Amino acid sequence: RITPAGAITTFTDSAGNVDLPDGITTGPDGALWFTSSNNKRIGRITTAGAITTFTDPADTVDGPFEITAGPDGNLWFTIGFNSRIGRITTAGVITTFTDPAGNLVRPFGITAGPDGNVWFTDFRSNVVGRITPAGVITTFTGPAGDLDGLGEIALGPDGALWFTSTNTNRIGRVTDRRRHHNVRRPGRERGAPSWDHRRPGDGRVVREHQQRPDRPDRDHRPRAGSRPVTRSTRRRASALHGMSS
């Protein structure tokens, strides 16, 4: 914890159940919630520093990464090692969801959307996904070649979802056209997102509106020299790039 004046305090779990904490977010219960990526746990810490951790009895939470408070009053998180999206209630009950279409490989960033759903990125399959409070997953892709190694995602002040494309050095934006148009345009899928990719260097914007085409999975390599290699970054790299940890 760091105060606006810059005073730092750190906290440990007396039970020893926190191992490589990763994502963190404010919960709807006045506490903060975080992921413990190396031991399949989701944690809760009060503003006084009291830590509680939770596990999934079904053992489906392997490599939890980012976490966000959802519009439904629960916490939602990405699970990198077994290609799932997880939900935990403030009482600590965990449920995980898979994509029947098989488009989740290494889900990573996650945030609450303006539409009552939760949106996420997948680092390896290069899709942006949407999951409803009921756990229904839909995935979308942008223009071919523009997205590679999707990272963090955030809700912007304009009501759109903004995300990073690590391996193409781009910032992407996706909006829900249903919020702006009530008429279906010929040749366009109802409910598909509008893509807006900022191209560095020339200031141009490319806008497209399309469904995800079927395409084979690709191996994505990290860019060299981006950050120091630590135990935490090695595990994250292992999750994101499909290497054994």
Side-chain angles (χ1 to χ4, degrees):
R1 180 183 65 197
I2 183 169
T3 68
I8 295 177
T9 309
T10 62
F11 304 90
T12 58
D13 177 23
S14 59
N17 290 327
V18 177
D19 192 357
L20 294 184
D22 197 338
I24 191 168
T25 192
T26 300
D29 57 348
L32 294 109
W33 290 74
F34 62 92
T35 59
S36 184
S37 62
N38 206 36
N39 63 353
K40 307 179 181 181
R41 290 177 179 264
I42 304 299
R44 177 183 183 271
I45 183 169
T46 68
T47 53
I51 295 176
T52 309
T53 62
F54 304 91
T55 59
D56 175 22
D59 195 27
T60 60
V61 178
D62 191 2
F65 285 155
E66 304 300 322
I67 187 169
T68 190
D72 58 347
N74 297 309
L75 289 304
W76 292 78
F77 54 95
T78 52
I79 308 172
F81 283 172
N82 61 355
S83 310
R84 293 171 182 255
I85 302 297
R87 180 185 67 200
I88 184 170
T89 69
T90 53
V93 178
I94 294 176
T95 308
T96 64
F97 304 92
T98 59
D99 176 22
N103 292 326
L104 268 64
V105 182
R106 292 290 183 269
F108 186 67
I110 193 166
T111 192
D115 56 352
N117 299 307
V118 172
W119 289 73
F120 60 91
T121 61
D122 193 299
F123 186 91
R124 189 165 181 187
S125 65
N126 298 324
V127 299
V128 174
R130 179 182 65 208
I131 184 168
T132 70
V136 178
I137 293 174
T138 308
T139 59
F140 308 96
T141 190
D146 278 7
L147 305 183
D148 189 355
L150 302 194
E152 304 291 350
I153 186 170
L155 176 62
D158 57 351
L161 286 307
W162 292 77
F163 58 93
T164 55
S165 179
T166 304
N167 294 337
T168 58
N169 297 322
R170 297 172 187 248
I171 303 298
R173 181 180 71 184
V174 57
T175 62
D176 188 346
R177 284 195 182 273
R178 292 172 301 175
R179 298 174 60 236
H180 306 291
H181 301 280
N182 295 321
V183 179
R184 184 178 182 182
R185 297 184 179 185
R188 294 189 173 184
E189 177 69 17
R190 186 186 302 275
S194 168
W195 298 93
D196 186 347
H197 298 280
R198 305 286 172 172
R199 296 179 181 268
D202 59 10
R204 292 184 296 130
V205 175
V206 176
R207 295 182 178 89
E208 297 198 20
H209 185 84
Q210 59 179 232
Q211 292 176 276
R212 180 187 188 278
D214 290 331
R215 60 180 179 177
D217 184 30
R218 294 179 294 173
D219 185 23
H220 301 291
R221 302 295 179 185
R223 291 185 175 269
S226 57
R227 64 176 66 179
V229 176
T230 65
R231 182 182 174 212
S232 177
T233 57
R234 280 197 300 268
R235 178 163 177 90
R236 175 173 285 194
S238 173
L240 297 182
H241 304 302
M243 298 182 292
S244 59
S245 59

